[in-house]
Every structure is written in C-alpha cells, then in structure tokens.
Amino acid sequence: RPAPVLVELLIHELVHRRLYIRDDTRFNESLATLVAREGAIRFLSHSEMTLDPHYWQQRDRAHQAFVALVSAARQQLAVLYGRDLPVPAMAARKAAIQQQLRDQFAQQRDQVAGLAAYQGFFAGPLNNAQLNGVSDYNGWVPAFAALLLQCGGQWQCFWPRVETLAALPVPQR
C-alpha cells in the first residue's frame, strides 16, 4: 500500500484500541476514519516522506464521489425495500439499481482523479452489507470533524469530549 494509506490504516486500527463501543459500529468506524485521516495528515507533514501537494485534495474528492454514489444507491434501495413487490420483481429492481451504481461509477471513474482506486469495490457483488458499511465508516465523520474543529484541532480537548459522548446511551450519542 502507498505510505499515506498504510499510515491511515494503522492509525484507524489504533483508534479502536483506544476506544471501542460494543454494538455501535457507526460510532466506532466513523471516529476511527476521522482520526486516521487527520492523524495521517499530521504524521506525514512531519515525516520525511514526499507527497504530491494535491494528494489529500484529490483523495478527498475521490472519496466524496465514492460516498455520494453509494449513498444515492442506498437511498434508491431504501425506497425499493419500502414497496410491497413480489420477490422476483424486488430482486430484478435491486439488480438494476446495483447495475446503475456500477455504470455511474464507470462514467465518473475517468472524470474524478483517484476514483479508480475504488474499482475493486464495484467489481464485487454490491450487497447491502457492503453498501451499509460505507455509511458506517463515513456517517458520523462530519460530526467528529466538527468536534475536532470546536477543539481547535487539539487532541487533548477532542478525546475527553469523545469519551463523554461514548458514555451516553445510543440515542443520545
């Protein structure tokens, strides 16, 4: 893996060692995603590794495009699942939504720099667990980013606030 990806992965997994809430995947994964990205940026800015100055912008644009594609498909599937259709019709429409997602990815892959890195995701079956996983890893990232911003980017402020949130019951989190 490229160095930035490896650094992010290591930090992501270390976050789970620091804080893990049983049965709250979205909280755990979104927290780890935000801390890993921010931590990688900070670590690499102080390392001797040389990155293209546009690396993070390109990566973020590609990631946002990926999440938008998956989110739109999840919304279409939610509407579909709310309908009372016979199983064969439901399966056919689900397959059509999945194919539409693949087609949209293929259209955008060459237009959005870095989006091709997600090719492996779209080569698979695109089942509900995979699509929902994207939401789990990204669903609360904006909230954690806002919390870090409220803390002026300071970890010593951020972590106690996260731990306070973690102690709350799920509906209040």
Side-chain angles (χ1 to χ4, degrees):
R1 296 179 190 232
V5 174
L6 183 57
V7 170
E8 269 189 292
L9 175 63
L10 292 171
I11 295 171
H12 183 104
E13 295 308 322
L14 288 170
V15 169
H16 294 314
R17 299 246 353 217
R18 175 163 186 169
L19 179 67
Y20 179 82
I21 302 170
R22 191 170 151 248
D23 296 328
D24 198 341
T25 302
R26 181 165 293 185
F27 185 96
N28 295 326
E29 297 304 343
S30 292
L31 172 64
T33 296
L34 179 272
V35 173
R37 185 200 185 279
E38 185 64 28
I41 289 170
R42 292 179 189 195
F43 173 80
L44 292 167
S45 71
H46 295 293
S47 76
E48 294 180 13
M49 291 183 231
T50 305
L51 285 178
D52 176 336
H54 303 292
Y55 173 82
W56 293 109
Q57 286 179 321
Q58 176 182 316
R59 191 183 152 281
D60 287 347
R61 269 191 243 115
H63 186 72
Q64 289 168 1
F66 167 70
V67 170
L69 286 168
V70 172
S71 295
R74 287 185 72 237
Q75 289 173 355
Q76 290 178 315
L77 288 168
V79 170
L80 173 64
Y81 296 152
R83 298 181 66 194
D84 186 24
L85 295 174
V87 172
M90 180 79 69
R93 292 197 180 165
K94 178 181 176 181
I97 291 169
Q98 291 168 328
Q99 187 56 51
Q100 179 184 15
L101 175 56
R102 282 189 178 90
D103 293 345
Q104 289 172 336
F105 169 74
Q107 289 171 352
Q108 291 185 29
R109 180 184 52 224
D110 297 329
Q111 298 170 355
V112 178
L115 190 58
Y118 295 93
Q119 181 68 44
F121 180 88
F122 292 97
L126 296 179
N127 60 42
N128 291 333
Q130 290 168 300
L131 298 177
N132 292 341
V134 172
S135 182
D136 286 338
Y137 277 75
N138 297 281
W140 295 115
V141 168
F144 286 120
L147 183 58
L148 184 60
L149 186 60
Q150 288 171 5
C151 287
Q154 300 301 310
W155 295 121
Q156 63 270 27
C157 168
F158 177 79
W159 281 109
R161 290 188 182 188
V162 168
E163 289 163 355
T164 299
L165 285 172
L168 295 172
V170 175
Q172 292 177 324
R173 249 183 248 139

